[in-house]
Amino acid sequence: MNEPFRIAIAGLGTVGRGVVKILQSQPELIRARAGRPVEITAVNARNKSADRGVDLSSYEWVGDPLALAGHDKVDCVLELIGGSDGVAKDLVEAALDNGKHVVTANKALLAHHGLELAQKAEDKGVSLNYEAAVAGGIPIIKSLREGLAANKVKGIYGILNGTCNYILTEMRETGRDFNDVLKDAQDRGYAEADPSFDVGGIDAAHKLALLTALGFGVKPNFDGLSIEGIESITADDIRFADELGYRIKLIGMARCLGGKVFQIMAPCLVPTASALGSVEGVFNAVFVEADPVDKTMAEGRGAGEGPTASAVVADVMDLARGITLPTFGVRASELKDAPWADLSDITAQHYIHLKVLDQPGVIADISAVLRDHQISIESLVQRGRDPQRAVSVVMVTHESGAKAVQDAVADIAKIPSMVDKPTVLRIEHI
Ligand code: HSE
């Protein structure tokens, strides 16, 4: 087929510019692999006169992004604006309503409205592709939706936010604390001016909600996700974890527990020598355990112009080839409402870091609380000796109920010699 596949791009920021660059620099490779040329016909952005370092003169400039949704020379709309609502949502809905395929990098939009949009795409016989929305350049959506389609997924574990992984890596390598490294990351342009979505785990949780839906055939459930960020991780925690043979990583986990699905975003300890323990800096990684394939892992850059645009263009090429798939791997009407598991359904070893006044009987008090909650200790170390000031007590539990550990630590926090809020992190032997 030589008929060109015609796309419109809404949003010419880092990702949009990257898409234009790929399509301009290697049209022949894309034509050969897609089986037909891919052509940009129209573009839109907020500021027409900005210098983006790419030549846009041969494309129609459309002032209103919504006009792209009904454009008669467009087969597919690329929504690269961002945001869970507003113009991005309006554009995607309108494009699907008009029978146009949509490719988006917008994890927030899909985490909040994925089910309705998937249904709309299906009703109109078009595709809603979003490879770039999860882990940037890593083809994890294709992997789960196609490559692993014959498997029953048991667990998905991901490092899904490069900013957090960079901060945690930098804290470990330099011994600096969270705020210091965050400021440095902002100065270097790695972290956003408002980094709360990144360091608070929200951005990664948007991505996890999509992976959970795809992996387990359930409706995306961002609102039901337990989310904890990395803001309270200290340089001491990172050092203690290191001494114990672990790295602290922000891990998005989705697991099948009996008939239930459990999903959580939280910092965890993973063995230093494990697959995820060795993923450092801005890199993302997704580890999938499934039957019968067993364990697979993919690692790569989760953000930036090249990796994200690579994923967007791959989605476009699939559509140009005529490949259309249900958004979450099965028809929207077949996506289940889980049932969802919660903390009381999971067990794990835990790392507990307490700051206590070093007085006689403190350890006995802590032990009594753990005994009452049926929690057994694998190891305990106390660092420092100063009756006037707080010292660190670090414990690693044996495999214990996560809810029981949470309740026990809430009780330990009430012991009078306790100083500061305890830190509790799951240990995941992935
Ligand atoms: N801000 C994200 C990150 C990339 O740091 O990985 C976009 O989701």
Side-chain angles (χ1 to χ4, degrees):
M1 190 198 293
N2 285 320
E3 194 86 345
F5 187 71
R6 303 161 306 174
I7 65 169
I9 304 177
L12 290 166
T14 306
V15 185
R17 183 179 58 226
V19 169
V20 174
K21 278 190 196 167
I22 296 178
L23 293 174
Q24 288 183 347
S25 63
Q26 39 208 29
E28 182 48 27
L29 178 149
I30 288 167
R31 184 207 58 76
R33 290 186 179 158
R36 59 200 285 204
V38 172
E39 280 182 16
I40 302 170
T41 50
V43 294
N44 155 271
R46 264 202 302 243
N47 179 0
K48 186 174 179 185
S49 57
D51 179 10
R52 298 178 170 86
V54 284
D55 180 8
L56 303 171
S57 59
S58 54
Y59 316 135
E60 181 187 347
W61 184 275
V62 175
D64 175 7
L66 291 182
L68 298 174
H71 199 295
D72 61 357
K73 294 199 183 72
V74 170
D75 303 307
C76 173
V77 173
L78 275 52
E79 184 279 300
L80 304 176
I81 297 168
S84 62
D85 289 278
V87 68
K89 177 164 176 270
D90 294 345
L91 173 61
V92 170
E93 284 175 342
L96 296 174
D97 276 335
N98 284 320
K100 306 217 185 279
H101 299 295
V102 170
V103 172
T104 180
N106 191 335
K107 61 232 75 169
L109 173 70
L110 288 177
H112 288 281
H113 307 292
L115 181 64
E116 308 90 90
L117 295 173
Q119 186 65 64
K120 200 180 268 295
E122 228 165 87
D123 293 345
K124 296 291 174 178
V126 291
S127 269
L128 171 59
N129 282 354
Y130 55 100
E131 185 66 75
V134 182
I138 304 176
I140 190 61
I141 303 300
K142 187 171 264 296
S143 179
L144 281 170
R145 193 162 56 170
E146 297 174 58
L148 298 176
N151 284 267
K152 196 166 165 49
V153 174
K154 296 199 261 184
I156 301 173
Y157 305 82
I159 293 175
L160 298 170
N161 186 276
T163 303
C164 287
N165 209 44
Y166 168 81
I167 291 173
L168 293 170
T169 302
E170 199 66 12
M171 285 173 71
R172 185 181 59 75
E173 287 180 347
T174 64
R176 288 186 294 156
D177 70 21
F178 170 79
N179 287 317
D180 192 17
V181 176
L182 172 60
K183 183 170 179 318
D184 188 33
Q186 284 172 311
D187 291 345
R188 289 163 183 251
Y190 296 160
E192 306 286 338
D194 174 6
S196 54
F197 265 39
D198 285 321
V199 299
I202 314 280
D203 171 80
H206 285 146
K207 298 167 185 168
L208 178 64
L210 303 181
L211 293 181
T212 308
L214 202 46
F216 298 97
V218 294
K219 296 176 183 173
N221 181 18
F222 174 76
D223 293 332
L225 235 162
S226 161
I227 306 172
E228 208 182 301
I230 63 165
E231 306 97 320
S232 58
I233 301 296
T234 64
D236 279 348
D237 289 318
I238 292 192
R239 193 165 39 79
F240 286 131
D242 200 32
E243 285 175 20
L244 292 163
Y246 297 99
R247 296 268 156 89
I248 298 181
K249 300 285 174 192
L250 180 66
I251 302 285
M253 176 175 95
R255 277 175 60 194
C256 186
L257 296 167
K260 297 184 188 174
V261 178
F262 180 68
Q263 51 172 2
I264 185 168
M265 177 62 58
C268 294
L269 273 66
V270 294
T272 302
S274 64
L276 289 178
S278 52
V279 176
E280 296 281 55
V282 295
F283 279 78
N284 283 201
V286 186
F287 181 97
V288 178
E289 190 172 7
D291 188 29
V293 72
D294 201 16
K295 296 169 181 168
T296 73
M297 193 177 98
E299 179 180 354
R301 291 186 186 276
E305 181 182 300
T308 314
S310 155
V312 169
V313 176
D315 272 350
V316 170
M317 289 168 71
D318 265 355
L319 296 170
R321 289 171 174 133
I323 299 171
T324 60
L325 295 165
T327 308
F328 296 110
V330 298
R331 293 182 65 79
S333 57
E334 290 194 44
L335 289 168
K336 299 189 192 68
D337 239 331
W340 301 99
D342 57 32
L343 270 191
S344 56
D345 293 298
I346 66 158
T347 61
Q349 281 193 283
H350 288 77
Y351 159 97
I352 302 173
H353 179 187
L354 308 170
K355 298 257 186 53
V356 302
L357 291 175
D358 188 6
Q359 293 163 347
V362 176
I363 298 293
D365 291 344
I366 296 168
S367 303
V369 174
L370 292 171
R371 178 202 59 212
D372 293 347
H373 288 272
Q374 296 290 299
I375 291 159
S376 166
I377 298 297
E378 181 189 271
S379 65
L380 182 150
V381 283
Q382 179 183 321
R383 286 290 152 80
R385 173 78 185 95
D386 184 346
Q388 307 311 319
R389 293 177 44 198
V391 295
S392 284
V393 171
V394 174
M395 294 178 285
V396 173
T397 71
H398 283 298
E399 183 99 6
S400 311
K403 179 73 169 58
V405 172
Q406 196 180 56
D407 292 346
V409 170
D411 286 347
I412 288 172
K414 295 177 198 152
I415 296 174
S417 25
M418 237 13 85
V419 180
D420 281 355
K421 204 168 156 271
T423 301
V424 189
L425 303 172
R426 271 181 301 116
I427 302 177
E428 286 295 342
H429 291 276
I430 303 162

